[in-house]
């Protein structure tokens, strides 16, 4: 495999061992946390207890099934497996109704521009998300064409911090994990990237995302040059 050829900020072409970018969806490309919160809160209220924004933050990067287990635990409610499946399905129906109304204006600042820059630089791009509705969201906001592969909750069995979603992303792109950079806003996602032998850029606060190789407040602060600088960091 040939090295990616980039043009740096000074117009010079340089070789890099980084071949691909793998992006989490929520909190990195778009922010659907509010929709998840509204749907989970509605479900919790119907079950007779409340659900807070603080609790919603703890569900970042967590699968729908595991999220429901946590919420039922917080509410002190016990349900059979069949009942849990029905509840998760109901919550998802409400959530899908909301995301089907999403607009391109809901793309987080800098996300589209960085995706464009990555594609222009010859980098492969994949989505690595726990969401089972990622393709719908990307289509609604007009970003689906920017991704070479989509690996989400429909394709994996294990939740982050297990690296399965990112390893499958690298496999789908035909790249070695060590040639990939993951973009994540959750601690579990950063742990998953590291467990998969990948470099990781944290999106958010450096005080929280301490395990990342680089932390930026959003993709509006990310450039190809900053990505290229990660080459000097070992994944071991």
């Amino acid at each position: 495999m040939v090295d990616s050829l980039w043009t740096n900020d000074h117009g010079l072409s340089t070789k890099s061992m980084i071949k691909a970018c793998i992006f989490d969806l929520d909190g990195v490309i778009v922010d659907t946390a509010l929709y998840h919160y509204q749907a989970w809160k509605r479900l919790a209220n119907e079950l007779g207890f409340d659900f807070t924004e603080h609790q919603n933050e703890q569900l970042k990067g967590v699968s729908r099934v595991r999220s429901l287990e946590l919420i039922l635990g917080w509410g002190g409610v016990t349900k059979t497996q069949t009942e849990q499946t029905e509840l998760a399905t109901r919550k998802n129906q409400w959530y899908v109704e909301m995301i089907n109304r999403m607009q391109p204006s809901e793309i987080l600042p800098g996300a589209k521009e960085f995706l464009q820059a990555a594609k222009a630089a010859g980098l492969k791009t994949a989505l690595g998300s726990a969401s089972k509705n990622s393709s719908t969201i990307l289509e609604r906001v007009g970003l689906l064409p920017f991704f070479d592969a989509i690996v989400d909750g429909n394709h994996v069995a294990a939740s982050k911090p297990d690296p399965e979603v990112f390893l499958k992303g690298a496999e789908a792109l035909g790249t070695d994990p060590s040639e990939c950079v993951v973009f994540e806003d959750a601690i579990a996602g950063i742990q998953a990237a590291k467990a998969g032998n990948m470099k990781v850029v944290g999106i958010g606060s450096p005080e929280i995302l301490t395990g990342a190789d680089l932390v930026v407040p959003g993709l509006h602060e990310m450039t190809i040059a900053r990505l290229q600088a990660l080459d000097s960091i070992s994944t071991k």
Side-chain angles (χ1 to χ4, degrees), residues 100-127:
N100 272 319
R101 297 192 291 269
M102 290 183 72
Q103 301 292 326
S105 60
E106 295 182 69
I107 300 171
L108 288 174
K112 184 175 182 179
E113 291 78 6
F114 185 70
L115 284 166
Q116 290 173 325
K119 300 300 287 183
L123 294 168
K124 296 179 180 180
T125 56
L127 191 80

Side-chain angles (χ1 to χ4, degrees), residues 41-113:
K41 184 176 177 66
R42 179 177 174 182
L43 186 69
N45 291 165
E46 288 193 0
L47 292 171
F49 61 94
D50 202 12
F51 175 66
T52 68
E53 292 185 49
H54 175 71
Q55 289 169 328
N56 192 58
E57 283 294 310
Q58 297 178 58
L59 303 183
K60 277 188 175 181
V62 179
S63 70
R64 188 188 311 157
V65 172
R66 179 57 183 152
S67 292
L68 178 61
E69 291 174 351
L70 290 170
I71 290 169
L72 292 177
W74 292 328
V77 174
T78 301
K79 294 291 183 180
T80 66
Q81 194 62 51
T82 299
E83 289 171 331
Q84 288 186 39
T85 299
E86 190 277 330
L87 290 172
T89 299
R90 192 190 315 172
K91 177 267 176 181
N92 189 57
Q93 288 171 342
W94 296 333
Y95 174 71
V96 170
E97 288 174 5
M98 289 185 277
I99 63 172
N100 272 319
R101 297 192 291 269
M102 290 183 72
Q103 301 292 326
S105 60
E106 295 182 69
I107 300 171
L108 288 174
K112 184 175 182 179
E113 291 78 6

